[in-house]
Amino acid sequence: MLREVFLGIFAGTITGLTPALHVNTLASIIGSMDSVMEGFLYVVFLYTMGLTHTFLDAFPSTFFGIPEEDTALSILPAHRLALQGRALEVVNISLKTSFLAVLFSLTFLPIYLWVAPYYTPTVGRIFVFLLAGLIIFSEKGMKKVYALIIFCMAGTLGIISDKLPLKEPYFHLFVGLFGVPAILFSLKNNEKITPGESEILLSKTHFLRYSFLGTLFGMLASLLPTFTSSQAALLGSFLSKDERAFLTISFSVNTANFIFGLANFYATGKTRNGILVLIKNHYYPLNSQEFLILLIITITVGSVVNLYGLLISKKVGILIEKIDYKLLNISILSFIIAGSFYFDGLLGIGVLGVATILGTTTLILKVKRTTCMGVLMLKIMIK
């Protein structure tokens, strides 16, 4: 079992540091291959990989600006701090707040296991309506109209994508809406992102408070399938005062959502992410002893990743700094296009292109890019 834990940490580290490679995508690839691991050992590997990824997935959105579904909203605050020479601070926030999310999540587990079976979908839909209103009406003047149009267009794109024969629709959608536009605009300059200092410039009291808040939102996101971790982070964005506070909430939401997702799977059999879907297809149900083992692994992973996460991020960041930034961005764009073609051929590239146009439009109109979260929210609202 120790071998599967370390293999999972290694695989999760690779996915966490690699731009545009979501752990769910890797899980899909692994799931299509014959695995030498079987039974609960395979569960250990998959869960460890997914959890490790949540600690390190701040790296791509900080150094490259490439998001994924769970961290798409953190891209702009992370990139802003990175351009100020605080890239390592962003990674350190992710590592530390994710570990706090582990501790807070384990504390809330008894309550969560009692509440989870009583879920009703109506509550989640109400949250989505409230969030949509906050997104649109928080804009000023004519931007309210622009926000409404973009929200509806993004939502329509999400609905259409669901009806298309796509293997990885969210790869094309989220990278196109949030990642590619940022890269295209950055091609106009050759400014390098330096790792900088890792000290977190947020008071310990506020850091604990926002980590706790993010954990609560992550718990809510895992409980309500209509309320994703991105939407939970979006709710946190209205309660946070600056980039660091928002990032603390966003990253803790991501990790807490993953842990509580496991608890929900154990209690009800419901799956909240691609890793759990793959686990359920190969091994179900979990008994109480296996669930306890995974919780122990959760603490272990959080501790181990915090030992090396900052160091490896610094090493990779220094390596990136030596590369021509414009060339690097062009290479990443090529990688994204190749990835879209690999997963879904010309259809995938088409969806990526439409999403990119829509995401670029928000930048031109200077509308908050959170408006693009309509890609997930509209289909929930009209069900």
Side-chain angles (χ1 to χ4, degrees):
M1 186 179 298
L2 194 61
R3 183 193 69 162
E4 283 70 27
V5 170
F6 282 104
L7 282 175
I9 290 175
F10 175 77
T13 301
I14 297 299
T15 64
L17 297 177
T18 304
L21 181 58
H22 192 286
V23 68
N24 289 350
T25 303
L26 183 61
S28 298
I29 296 172
I30 292 173
S32 65
M33 301 163 58
D34 292 330
S35 175
V36 296
M37 288 175 270
E38 296 180 353
F40 184 62
L41 293 179
Y42 192 44
V43 174
V44 169
F45 167 72
L46 289 173
Y47 176 74
T48 303
M49 178 181 69
L51 182 63
T52 301
H53 180 93
T54 68
F55 279 75
L56 292 167
D57 58 3
F59 186 90
S61 62
T62 303
F63 283 87
F64 305 111
I66 303 296
E68 55 192 62
E69 180 183 352
D70 296 334
T71 57
L73 295 182
S74 68
I75 175 175
L76 288 181
H79 226 169
R80 278 199 295 267
L81 288 178
L83 290 171
Q84 296 170 18
R86 306 296 304 180
L88 273 187
E89 181 187 359
V90 176
V91 176
N92 200 19
I93 289 173
S94 178
L95 290 168
K96 297 300 186 294
T97 195
S98 292
F99 187 70
L100 285 174
V102 167
L103 301 180
F104 288 139
S105 297
L106 294 178
T107 302
F108 283 119
L109 270 183
I111 298 174
Y112 184 87
L113 291 172
W114 175 67
V115 171
Y118 294 98
Y119 161 75
T120 58
T122 304
V123 178
R125 191 167 289 112
I126 291 172
F127 269 107
V128 173
F129 270 98
L130 291 174
L131 277 174
L134 283 172
I135 291 172
I136 295 167
F137 292 105
S138 63
E139 296 285 359
K140 297 179 181 179
M142 273 299 294
K143 287 187 179 181
K144 287 185 175 67
V145 178
Y146 298 153
L148 177 61
I149 293 172
I150 291 172
F151 183 91
C152 292
M153 290 178 68
T156 303
L157 179 60
I159 293 170
I160 292 173
S161 297
D162 281 347
K163 297 181 182 300
L164 296 175
L166 297 170
K167 296 178 183 177
E168 297 288 342
Y170 293 115
F171 175 89
H172 317 298
L173 289 172
F174 278 88
V175 174
L177 288 170
F178 296 94
V180 177
I183 294 175
L184 292 176
F185 273 75
S186 68
L187 287 175
K188 293 187 294 186
N189 63 70
N190 203 29
E191 188 174 0
K192 292 182 178 294
I193 292 180
T194 58
E197 299 296 323
S198 62
E199 180 187 1
I200 299 174
L201 301 181
L202 186 67
S203 70
K204 292 182 180 179
T205 301
H206 283 86
F207 193 69
L208 285 169
R209 181 187 304 167
Y210 288 120
S211 296
F212 180 79
L213 187 61
T215 301
L216 291 180
F217 287 151
M219 179 171 65
L220 188 61
S222 70
L223 193 62
L224 311 174
T226 55
F227 190 58
T228 68
S229 60
S230 288
Q231 292 161 359
L234 177 59
L235 182 60
S237 71
F238 293 102
L239 303 176
S240 53
K241 298 178 180 179
D242 56 29
E243 288 98 341
R244 292 173 176 85
F246 171 72
L247 290 172
T248 302
I249 292 175
S250 181
F251 294 141
S252 54
V253 162
N254 196 24
T255 299
N257 181 39
F258 192 83
I259 297 168
F260 284 118
L262 172 71
N264 204 333
F265 175 66
Y266 166 71
T268 68
K270 296 173 182 175
T271 54
R272 297 293 187 248
N273 57 61
I275 292 291
L276 292 175
V277 170
L278 192 55
I279 288 175
K280 188 171 185 178
N281 290 339
H282 286 81
Y283 193 88
Y284 178 77
L286 294 175
N287 61 43
S288 56
Q289 182 180 0
E290 291 166 340
F291 180 59
L292 181 60
I293 289 172
L294 291 175
L295 294 183
I296 294 172
I297 288 173
T298 300
I299 300 175
T300 304
V301 168
S303 302
V304 171
V305 177
N306 265 277
L307 289 177
Y308 73 84
L310 201 59
L311 178 61
I312 193 171
S313 296
K314 183 176 182 179
K315 296 291 185 184
V316 177
I318 291 173
L319 180 63
I320 292 172
E321 188 181 4
K322 295 177 181 179
I323 302 173
D324 181 87
Y325 196 57
K326 187 173 292 186
L327 178 62
L328 180 63
N329 279 326
I330 292 173
S331 300
I332 294 171
L333 280 174
S334 301
F335 172 75
I336 291 169
I337 295 170
S340 280
F341 185 79
Y342 172 77
F343 291 125
D344 292 299
L346 292 177
L347 186 59
I349 293 177
V351 174
L352 176 70
V354 174
T356 298
I357 293 170
L358 189 56
T360 304
T361 302
T362 63
L363 293 178
I364 295 172
L365 295 176
K366 297 182 179 179
V367 175
K368 294 186 183 74
R369 295 176 68 193
T370 52
T371 309
C372 291
M373 289 307 296
V375 72
L376 290 178
M377 299 169 71
L378 184 63
K379 59 186 175 184
I380 295 170
M381 295 166 65
I382 65 176
K383 278 185 178 179

